[in-house]
Amino acid sequence: RLAEGSGRHDHINGRHGYAVEISPFLASTIACASSQYYGIAGCGTLFVLEQREADVSLVKSFNWNDGLFDVTWSENNEHVLVTGGGDGSLQIWDTAHTQGLLQVLKGHTQEVYSVDWSQTRGENLVVSGSWDHTAKVWDPERCQLVSSLQGHEGVIYSTIWSPHIPACFASASGDGTLRVWDVKAGSCRLAVPAHKTEILSCDWCKYDQNILVTGAVDCSLRVWDLRNVRHPVAQMMGHSYAIRRVKFCPFYKTVLASCSYDFTVRFWDYSKNQPLLETLEHHSEFVCGLDFNLHIPNQVISPKHSAVIGFSGDIPIRQSRLM
């Protein structure tokens, strides 16, 4: 919830939160990508927020002329972010500047639904996924398109860099496949028929370069080992509507979180016979995004569709249950 006295409630409550990401540099700084009218029409706003105890206060906001559907922080500049827009462009922002907008990257022909900044050393790349069925890799410093990758037969909802393997990212699509891409070769290394429905999100395990998770419209999460993709390592059921986003925990190898159109955030340990650890029902509308705090173990935030930010606080799980 937003702290009282922020003075910007009307402006904020006119937006619907699509994605949230905590700064890799500052534990209390949060970015949220949002849209008017559920992204169907209207403008978008990038919010920069500050977490103070149990409240979240607005620091800055930057408007765009179309909806914003995802956001990612730079890995080498604490002030720089990239968002993906409904007009098919990526926007590079510098929060240290009053105007904010640094550059616009154009290349996609439809909505950009996913953006991610590479975390591996020696790389400074952004990957984007679009409704135009393509994934594109960009050099944000030179503001140039590096590569355009085709292969999906449906909307790309999620593109995530491997935290282990240079020039490698995964994508999840409405065509039901999870794909792993080699940017240097410019090709798909692996295509996994992961679900029989649209896949809305995927993420890499932070401790094992071969493990990924997918979340889909069929309400299931599936964990995959890239060395053998005939069957998932684990399947987790519990959500009652489509899973909008999945994230692996940065502190525990087999723990992950998911959020859904069923208004809940759920925490799982796929190594357990009963993998569901906890269900949070703090939201009153669709939950479209979530992020783990890299600086504070067991802290997660998620944006609400009815406002911009919903702060779920610490995961209500004792650490002994996570081990």
Side-chain angles (χ1 to χ4, degrees), residues 30 63 77 135 179 231 246 251 269 299:
I30 304 159
N63 291 321
N77 186 325
R179 290 175 181 258
H231 303 285
V246 291
F251 298 101
D269 184 338
Q299 191 184 78

Side-chain angles (χ1 to χ4, degrees), residues 214-236:
T214 52
V217 171
D218 62 11
C219 307
S220 76
L221 293 96
R222 293 178 179 175
V223 178
W224 301 92
D225 187 327
L226 299 181
R227 293 164 294 191
N228 183 1
V229 295
R230 290 184 180 180
H231 303 285
V233 173
Q235 174 168 294
M236 291 158 285

Side-chain angles (χ1 to χ4, degrees), residues 200 215-219 239-245 259-262 287:
L200 303 186
V217 171
D218 62 11
C219 307
H239 283 293
S240 55
Y241 287 95
I243 295 166
R244 183 62 184 83
R245 199 172 297 259
C259 63
S260 165
Y261 291 134
D262 66 9
V287 191

Side-chain angles (χ1 to χ4, degrees), residues 101-122:
L101 187 66
L102 285 180
Q103 194 65 245
V104 179
L105 305 178
K106 296 180 180 180
H108 288 291
T109 58
Q110 294 187 54
E111 292 93 330
V112 175
Y113 228 61
S114 176
V115 289
D116 192 39
W117 200 297
S118 176
Q119 298 177 26
T120 56
R121 293 183 181 180

Side-chain angles (χ1 to χ4, degrees), residues 122-134:
E123 282 185 349
N124 192 29
L125 299 172
V126 171
V127 63
S128 57
S130 169
W131 283 33
D132 66 10
H133 302 188
T134 71

Side-chain angles (χ1 to χ4, degrees), residues 283-299:
H283 293 281
S284 57
E285 288 199 22
F286 299 151
V287 191
C288 286
L290 60 81
D291 196 25
F292 284 93
N293 196 325
L294 295 172
H295 314 274
I296 304 173
N298 296 350
Q299 191 184 78

